[in-house]
């Protein structure tokens, strides 16, 4: 592996360094230890990956929409309102995915293209969140 480079976060780094970062990021035991250490710096992935929002496999609730906060992504209120407006359409796409379909099989068969196109369309130009202003 030595000598090869990959692009990470907008810069090129050695493959060995990138591999080390990935191992650290996904090391659940090290993350738990860092979380309780006085000046520990745990990574977000284990918490994000195990977050229980209470939604089912074909549901998106507000906890799902706010989950990116755990990855240091702060969604704007406008974005959350737009996601809420298209939530039923997003859930319909999720419900159409066969439960046992793996990402690898979906890509190999091309079954991923249509759902991704539908999701992309919803996210690129969401419907106006009609009536949301009345709730505030």
């Amino acid at each position: 592996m030595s000598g090869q480079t990959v692009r990470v976060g907008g810069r090129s780094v050695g493959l060995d360094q990138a591999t080390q970062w990935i191992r650290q990021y996904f090391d659940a035991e090290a993350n738990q230890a860092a979380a309780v250490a006085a000046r520990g710096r745990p990574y977000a992935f284990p918490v994000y990956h195990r977050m229980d929002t209470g939604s089912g496999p074909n549901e998106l609730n507000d906890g799902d929409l706010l989950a990116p906060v755990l990855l240091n992504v702060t969604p704007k209120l406008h974005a959350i309102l737009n996601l809420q407006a298209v939530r039923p359409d997003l859930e319909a796409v999720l419900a159409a995915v066969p439960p046992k379909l793996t990402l690898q099989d979906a890509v190999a068969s091309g079954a991923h293209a249509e759902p991704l196109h539908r999701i992309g369309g919803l996210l690129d130009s969401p419907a106006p969140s009609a009536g949301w202003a009345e709730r505030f």
Side-chain angles (χ1 to χ4, degrees), residues 3 9-10 16 18 20 28-29 61 65 74 76 85 97 102 104 112 116:
D16 292 337
Q20 180 183 351
E29 288 180 25
N61 66 27
L65 303 182
T74 308
K76 304 284 187 212
V97 175
T102 66
Q104 183 178 4
H112 69 293
L116 287 179

Side-chain angles (χ1 to χ4, degrees), residues 48-115:
Y48 176 83
H49 183 66
R50 292 180 183 96
M51 182 178 176
D52 182 3
T53 64
S55 61
N58 298 329
E59 298 175 310
L60 294 170
N61 66 27
D62 290 342
D64 296 311
L65 303 182
L66 294 171
V69 170
L70 291 173
L71 301 175
N72 293 323
V73 176
T74 308
K76 304 284 187 212
L77 178 58
H78 183 77
I80 296 297
L81 293 169
N82 282 334
L83 287 170
Q84 287 175 331
V86 297
R87 182 182 356 226
D89 297 317
L90 292 170
E91 290 176 336
V93 174
L94 291 174
V97 175
K100 297 189 184 235
L101 181 66
T102 66
L103 182 58
Q104 183 178 4
D105 290 343
V107 171
S109 69
H112 69 293
E114 194 273 332

Side-chain angles (χ1 to χ4, degrees), residues 1 21 26 30 40 61 92:
M1 282 198 292
W21 287 341
F26 289 100
N61 66 27

Side-chain angles (χ1 to χ4, degrees), residues 6-13 18 21-22:
V6 294
R7 291 198 47 85
V8 176
R11 66 180 181 163
S12 293
V13 298
W21 287 341
I22 290 168

Side-chain angles (χ1 to χ4, degrees), residues 21-37:
W21 287 341
I22 290 168
R23 283 191 179 121
Q24 290 172 339
Y25 190 75
F26 289 100
D27 185 337
E29 288 180 25
N31 275 295
Q32 286 176 333
V36 297

